[in-house]
Amino acid sequence: MRRFVDEFRLTWRGELQPSPAMSASFATVCLFVATLLRWGLSHIRPDIFFTPYFPAVVVAAAFGGPRYGIATTIAGGALGMLLEFGAGPSDIAKLVLLALYVVACGLVIWGIDHYRTIAAKQREIAKRLIEEERYRKLVVDELQHRLKNKTSTIHAVLHQVLHEQPEVWATIDHRIRALAVADDLIAKVDGRGCDLKDLLVSELGPYGHVRFVLNGGALFLPAKLAVSLALIIHELATNAAKYGAFASPCGLLQVTWTTQNERLSLTWDETEGPPIEHVGKPGFGTKLLKAALSAFDGSTETTFLRTGIHCTMQCRVPPS
C-alpha cells in the first residue's frame, strides 16, 4: 500500500510516468466520484448533467495525460446523457449542454497537455543543471587538490634548494604558507561564507602584515558574495604586487569598509607605490572588477592614481 501511495505521489508530481492500468483506474474513480456528486446535486437541481464531470476530466488529464482526459470526457458525456436522476430539460437542451461540455473539456485538456510538456522540459533542464553542478563541483575539488599538491611541491623544492640559505628561505617560507592558507579559505567560503576581515587577511597576508591596514567591523559574508569579493581582492592584490603599493618598499595599502541598510561600502586605497605612467587596455581583471558584484546590485569604480589604485566597491549583503 505504501509503495502504491509513493508511486501515486511521484506520478502526481510529474516525476514518474503512470502505467495505463493506474491511469485508467484513477479516471474510473474520478468518474464514480463525479457521478455520486451529480446524484447528490440532483436533489437540489435535477438539471445538472455534465458539470460534475468537468473536474473529473481535469484531474484525470492532469494525472494520466490527454488520452485519459479525452476518455473521461467521453465517458462523462455518456453518463450525463444516459443517467437520469430526476426531471430534466428536452433532448435538444441536453445536446447543447453536451456540446458546451465537450468544447470546454477539449480546451482544458489542450491546456493541461501544453502545461505538462513545458513542465517536463523544465524538469529536464533542472536535472541537467543539477548534473552539471555536480560535475563542476567535482572538477573544482580536483583542481583545488592539484593546486594544494603543486603548492606543497613548490614548497619542498624551494626548501631543498635554499636549505643552505636560511635567511632567504625564511622570507619565502611564510609567504608560501600564507598563499596556501588563502587558497584554502577561498575553497571553504564557496560553501559556508566567511568574515570579511578573515578574507582580507588571508589574501593580503603573503605580502606582509605591515604593508596593509584594515579599518572596519566584523561582517559575515554569505558564500556567493564571499567568493566574488575574494576574486576581486585577489585581483587587486596581484596588481598591487606588480605595479602598486606592494611593488614599492614604502608602499602601503589601506582597506576601509562600512555597512548601512544592508549595503557594504569598501574602499581600497594604495599609497607610496611606484608612479603609474601608462594604463594599458582593459583586460580580464578590469572586466572582473566591473562584473563580479553585479549579482548583488553592486558596482566598482577604479581610479588609477600616480602611486597606486583607488577603488571603491558597493554592494548589497544578502542575509546569512
Side-chain angles (χ1 to χ4, degrees):
M1 182 64 182
R2 184 175 180 179
R3 181 180 177 182
F4 176 81
V5 172
D6 292 338
E7 183 179 355
F8 180 85
R9 178 174 54 83
L10 293 175
T11 301
W12 183 256
R13 291 167 55 182
E15 300 178 10
L16 186 67
Q17 188 66 26
S19 63
M22 177 176 286
S23 298
S25 300
F26 185 75
T28 302
V29 171
C30 291
L31 287 169
F32 177 75
V33 173
T35 303
L36 286 179
L37 179 62
R38 182 191 165 199
W39 174 79
L41 292 175
S42 67
H43 294 83
I44 303 173
R45 288 202 57 173
D47 57 345
I48 297 178
F49 300 97
F50 308 104
T51 304
Y53 297 109
F54 187 76
V57 173
V58 173
V59 177
F63 183 83
R67 290 186 300 173
Y68 294 94
I70 294 173
T72 306
T73 300
I74 296 173
L79 290 172
M81 291 293 292
L82 297 176
L83 295 180
E84 294 288 349
F85 294 118
S90 62
D91 292 339
I92 297 178
K94 290 183 70 172
L95 290 175
V96 172
L97 293 174
L98 175 63
L100 294 174
Y101 161 77
V102 171
V103 171
C105 289
L107 292 174
V108 169
I109 292 172
W110 175 83
I112 291 175
D113 183 51
H114 183 65
Y115 168 79
R116 284 167 59 94
T117 302
I118 296 176
K121 291 181 180 179
Q122 293 295 329
R123 283 193 296 270
E124 183 64 27
I125 293 173
K127 181 180 178 182
R128 188 164 65 249
L129 288 176
I130 292 174
E131 293 175 352
E132 291 179 357
E133 177 63 19
R134 289 175 180 170
Y135 177 73
R136 182 198 69 83
K137 188 177 184 305
L138 178 64
V139 173
V140 170
D141 291 342
E142 177 63 21
L143 289 176
Q144 290 172 352
H145 178 68
R146 292 188 182 186
L147 178 61
K148 186 178 294 186
N149 288 342
K150 286 184 178 180
T151 304
S152 301
T153 302
I154 293 172
H155 186 273
V157 170
L158 289 176
H159 180 62
Q160 183 179 7
V161 173
L162 299 174
H163 72 280
E164 295 181 355
Q165 304 179 47
E167 294 182 359
V168 178
W169 169 246
T171 61
I172 296 177
D173 179 40
H174 74 279
R175 295 195 175 190
I176 296 178
R177 294 181 185 276
L179 284 172
V181 172
D183 290 337
D184 289 340
L185 179 64
I186 293 176
K188 291 177 182 178
V189 301
D190 192 19
R192 298 195 299 266
C194 70
D195 188 83
L196 176 57
K197 185 173 243 184
D198 294 338
L199 178 61
L200 288 166
V201 170
S202 296
E203 284 290 342
L204 303 177
Y207 304 101
H209 289 264
V210 298
R211 307 295 301 277
F212 61 88
V213 178
L214 305 179
N215 300 316
L219 176 62
F220 183 81
L221 303 173
K224 292 183 178 180
L225 178 57
V227 172
S228 297
L229 283 176
L231 294 174
I232 292 175
I233 293 168
H234 180 79
E235 182 66 26
L236 290 172
T238 302
N239 288 336
K242 292 179 179 179
Y243 318 109
F246 294 155
S248 170
C250 301
L252 181 67
L253 167 66
Q254 183 168 317
V255 182
T256 305
W257 66 92
T258 58
T259 55
Q260 185 176 9
N261 297 328
E262 297 184 351
R263 288 193 67 84
L264 168 66
S265 178
L266 186 145
T267 303
W268 175 287
D269 193 17
E270 300 178 22
T271 56
E272 300 298 331
I276 299 178
E277 302 294 342
H278 176 69
V279 179
K281 294 182 179 180
F284 173 77
T286 304
K287 295 179 181 178
L288 174 65
L289 294 178
K290 291 183 178 180
L293 297 178
S294 59
F296 306 95
D297 301 326
S299 61
T300 304
E301 296 183 4
T302 305
T303 305
F304 294 92
L305 305 178
R306 290 187 58 83
T307 57
I309 289 179
H310 177 81
C311 182
T312 58
M313 290 167 267
Q314 294 184 354
C315 67
R316 175 180 53 85
V317 181
S320 302

